[in-house]
Amino acid sequence: MSPPSRAQNLAAIAYGLPFVWVGIQHFVNPEPFFPIVPTYLGWPEFWVHITGWTEVGVGIGIMIPRTRRLCATLMIAQLLLLYLGNLHMWVNDVAFNGHRFGPLGHAVRLAVQLGLIGLAAWIRAVAPGRAPD
């Protein structure tokens, strides 16, 4: 497979940077994230810090051509797992940073999450390297 084009690299950077920024926010200002951790998981501080690390790591990894394919796959898994927090917010009407989304807002968040999964799949498909067996 040929090396990634400039456009592919820029797309991966534009995709990864917001995840790095949000991941850093899990450490800089973690309190708004605590309520969105599903109650059945317990230990919200633990989960907020773990997801902060994964968002930073996978966000950086998706920007690097050598690790892009793997990190795009991990990003898809991460987005599916993180949706548990969004679903918890929707079902239990949990506010994020004082804001409640309502049914339309949650539907938009679901659409955005699906779009992010689709973009990660596209980034994975065009990433350099051999497709896994």
Side-chain angles (χ1 to χ4, degrees), residues 16-125:
L17 279 176
F19 283 96
V20 173
W21 184 81
V22 170
I24 290 170
Q25 296 310 302
H26 283 64
F27 302 101
V28 173
N29 187 22
E31 289 81 14
F33 297 99
F34 295 159
I36 66 175
V37 174
T39 52
Y40 57 83
L41 290 176
W43 305 323
E45 295 88 355
F46 170 79
W47 293 111
V48 167
H49 287 110
I50 289 295
T51 57
W53 282 114
T54 63
E55 287 187 26
V56 169
V58 176
I60 290 171
I62 211 164
M63 293 187 275
I64 301 169
R66 183 179 177 113
T67 58
R68 186 168 296 155
R69 181 179 296 277
L70 171 63
C71 287
T73 302
L74 293 172
M75 181 67 78
I76 292 167
Q78 173 175 263
L79 288 167
L80 291 169
L81 290 170
L82 290 178
Y83 194 74
L84 293 173
N86 294 352
L87 187 60
H88 168 68
M89 289 176 66
W90 192 342
V91 170
N92 297 301
D93 194 29
V94 175
F96 178 73
N97 212 14
H99 178 75
R100 295 191 190 284
F101 291 94
L104 178 60
H106 287 296
V108 168
R109 287 175 53 118
L110 173 59
V112 168
Q113 195 88 350
L114 293 172
L116 289 171
I117 290 167
L119 283 171
W122 175 80
I123 289 169
R124 184 187 183 287

